[in-house]
Amino acid sequence: MQFPEGFLWGVATSAYQIEGAWAEDGRTPSIWDTFSHTPGRTKNGATGDVACDHYHRWRDDVALMAELGIQAYRFSVSWPRILPEGRGKVNQKGLDFYSRLVDALLEAGIIPFVTLYHWELPQVLQDAGGWPERDTAAAFAELADVTSRALGDRVTHWITHNEPWCTSLLSHQVGVHAPGWRDWHAALRAAHTVLWSHGLAVAHIRANAPDAEVGIAINFEPATPASPSPEDYHAARLWDGYYFRWFVNALYGRRYPADMVHYYTQQGYLPHGLDFVQTGDMETIAAPLDFFGVNYYTRHIAQAGESLDAHRSVPNPGAEYTAMGWEVHPDSFYRLLNRLYFEYGMGKIYITENGCSYLDFPHDQKRIEYLRGHLTAVYRAIQNGVPIAGYLQWSFMDNYEWAEGYTQRFGIVYVDYETQQRLPKDSAFWYRDVIKSGKLNSNFLKKDAD
Ligand code: IFM
């Protein structure tokens, strides 16, 4: 399987998961510092205080990427490093860090993809109400402005938000991510502010970096009914509205899906309807984009009778599961990519995240099989005409997996947290060879499609 000429091969990380240096050079705490320092919130009480110490080791990390032939690197900026008070006063030291990183990447021939929000809301903004409040969107627009002014002369690929579903529902309704709320109404308000702030940010990036490509990274867990019964079908449709259509429809000018507005209202999650949506918001949210970022790891098997609060995919006996307990299902990825193009007409897609946690080191054959299977799905979708322009593997190196702390390892590069040594796994060399040839040997099996 030969990938098209110019297909971009890269890796991805995010600031809090790798940087460390949580209180250095003027950075103030984010909601993740508060959350991870609160007993009982993360596995073994793990924090991102040190993480991979990338803040001090970035030069070596870029050099290793270059050695592996990586062509694009997606990273995020830490909001409280750049705007320690959330808005207003700019911390030049914070901006300088990212500016140096961008220069080093460009010098190594690696294209930077900058994500503005990968979950590090400054704690001061949380104290003022956080994402459920509209003012937070105005503050985010300021971050977009300041950052794109500073880096827009060199950064050609921008991602406003990473996984708005996680920022809103996972963090305010399910409650396993910072700030750890369990409040449906707040979660739905947060989802709206996040989406609206995305549209505001797009305008700033366009003004400061007119030639750059701008997009957003959305995460998916495509729903499959557990059986062909109408009840299970209905459960899958509900999950689809909750996870997929609420976000994608709004971003693509279709507004919030009527069936979900009805459902949420019936459940009492929208006690005053969509009163938080103001005139013009939906048009701002649907600002035209240059690309659509897809994050995919697993699917969701839905069964009647389960509420969205239970948040549990029906187990699939005999299937392969990763260390996260996520089912390996490349065919759902293939179908998702087709749906995005044939149903929504995305003009250009980047896979902004895809990967798996396995603890094996250095011989991580299961990761190689996972990546091969999912790249095969990408290849098959391209054959159908789906315009996929690149693939950013998650993650370049093992890192802080949020509430899971350091118990999960998503990297193609192993990190020894005692010594901070970086040790490429077999998958890193495998990926290097794929990049070099632009070619893949298939492991697609008919059974994957069942
Ligand atoms: O580590 C996360 C990342 O921060 C966002 N997407 C999913 C990854 C794996 O859980």
Side-chain angles (χ1 to χ4, degrees):
M1 290 180 289
Q2 182 73 52
F3 279 71
E5 189 68 31
F7 187 84
L8 212 52
W9 300 94
V11 289
T13 65
S14 88
Y16 190 71
Q17 294 181 271
I18 63 165
E19 283 181 2
W22 74 297
E24 231 172 286
D25 289 342
R27 183 187 181 280
T28 57
S30 78
I31 51 173
W32 267 95
D33 296 294
T34 308
F35 192 75
S36 65
H37 282 259
T38 306
R41 289 300 204 171
T42 65
K43 285 230 170 105
N44 309 321
T47 72
D49 293 3
V50 178
C52 305
D53 196 29
H54 171 76
Y55 191 74
H56 300 114
R57 295 168 192 267
W58 57 274
R59 275 191 199 81
D60 293 343
D61 290 334
V62 172
L64 179 54
M65 283 178 215
E67 258 172 58
L68 293 172
I70 301 299
Q71 299 170 345
Y73 174 46
R74 174 180 173 225
F75 62 93
S76 72
V77 296
S78 165
W79 187 340
R81 236 184 244 300
I82 294 178
L83 294 170
E85 291 156 27
R87 55 193 310 177
K89 209 171 87 230
V90 174
N91 178 26
Q92 194 55 42
K93 281 190 177 167
L95 274 180
D96 288 349
F97 170 69
Y98 297 111
S99 188
R100 282 193 297 268
L101 176 62
V102 165
D103 286 342
L105 288 166
L106 292 174
E107 218 165 282
I110 299 170
I111 298 174
F113 277 60
V114 171
T115 307
L116 289 170
Y117 190 77
H118 201 124
W119 310 349
E120 278 184 89
L121 185 70
Q123 184 60 41
V124 286
L125 295 181
Q126 181 62 42
D127 297 341
W131 281 113
E133 297 303 324
R134 285 176 78 87
D135 280 354
T136 304
F140 178 67
E142 225 174 286
L143 174 74
D145 185 30
V146 167
T147 312
S148 58
R149 255 177 221 279
L151 308 179
D153 56 336
R154 287 155 291 155
V155 172
T156 50
H157 294 74
W158 294 85
I159 292 167
T160 55
H161 277 275
N162 181 66
E163 305 183 347
W165 178 84
C166 294
T167 304
S168 53
L169 289 144
L170 187 64
S171 307
H172 296 81
Q173 172 243 321
V174 186
V176 299
H177 275 193
W181 294 6
R182 284 170 190 256
D183 176 340
W184 268 99
H185 187 224
L188 292 169
R189 280 187 356 248
H192 183 69
T193 323
V194 168
L195 288 169
W196 180 53
S197 78
H198 151 80
L200 299 177
V202 170
H204 285 289
I205 301 166
R206 295 232 182 272
N208 296 330
D211 298 329
E213 294 185 15
V214 188
I216 188 167
I218 300 291
N219 56 318
F220 295 95
E221 266 179 46
T224 312
S227 81
S229 75
E231 292 78 13
D232 286 351
Y233 173 82
H234 179 73
R237 185 77 187 150
L238 191 65
W239 181 267
D240 185 69
Y242 163 74
Y243 210 105
F244 179 124
R245 287 179 290 122
W246 194 261
F247 297 92
V248 180
N249 285 20
L251 287 165
Y252 279 78
R254 299 184 185 191
R255 304 183 164 252
Y256 293 124
D259 60 332
M260 294 310 294
V261 175
H262 178 70
Y263 173 79
Y264 288 148
T265 305
Q266 263 190 338
Q267 299 294 314
Y269 304 157
L270 289 174
H272 319 290
L274 293 176
D275 65 340
F276 46 80
V277 179
Q278 296 189 6
T279 310
D281 285 6
M282 299 314 289
E283 288 71 21
T284 303
I285 291 173
L289 298 177
D290 302 301
F291 67 87
F292 185 77
V294 176
N295 293 4
Y296 174 86
Y297 292 87
T298 190
R299 68 165 168 173
H300 180 91
I301 304 179
Q303 197 165 44
E306 274 186 6
S307 88
L308 290 176
D309 288 310
H311 221 267
R312 208 177 61 90
S313 180
V314 176
N316 182 13
E320 168 70 16
Y321 282 83
T322 68
M324 282 292 276
W326 293 348
E327 185 190 357
V328 178
H329 205 266
D331 201 55
S332 291
F333 189 27
Y334 167 72
R335 290 184 212 188
L336 166 70
L337 294 169
N338 285 302
R339 178 179 180 194
L340 289 172
Y341 178 60
F342 291 108
E343 214 180 290
Y344 291 84
M346 277 41 172
K348 186 181 203 175
I349 292 174
Y350 286 110
I351 309 307
T352 36
E353 282 184 32
N354 175 243
C356 53
S357 169
Y358 284 112
L359 305 184
D360 316 278
F361 166 74
H363 305 306
D364 56 338
Q365 192 58 33
K366 284 187 182 162
R367 176 170 292 100
I368 294 175
E369 292 314 318
Y370 181 101
L371 296 177
R372 201 204 310 268
H374 288 75
L375 277 167
T376 302
V378 172
Y379 176 84
R380 292 172 63 219
I382 293 174
Q383 297 312 298
N384 292 349
V386 183
I388 306 168
Y391 176 90
L392 307 174
Q393 181 270 341
W394 185 274
S395 179
F396 170 57
M397 57 184 159
D398 295 336
N399 56 48
Y400 180 74
E401 179 54 24
W402 308 110
E404 298 295 311
Y406 297 98
T407 62
Q408 298 292 334
R409 291 183 176 270
F410 279 86
I412 53 173
V413 171
Y414 180 88
V415 175
D416 177 336
Y417 293 109
E418 294 288 307
T419 62
Q420 290 294 350
Q421 244 193 315
R422 280 45 167 161
L423 300 159
K425 305 176 190 177
D426 285 355
S427 58
F429 299 118
W430 174 85
Y431 193 42
R432 178 196 60 190
D433 294 346
V434 170
I435 297 174
K436 206 164 172 189
S437 65
K439 246 209 264 192
L440 192 73
N441 295 321
S442 173
N443 72 343
F444 175 70
L445 302 174
K446 180 67 188 68
K447 81 170 173 52
D448 292 333
D450 293 342

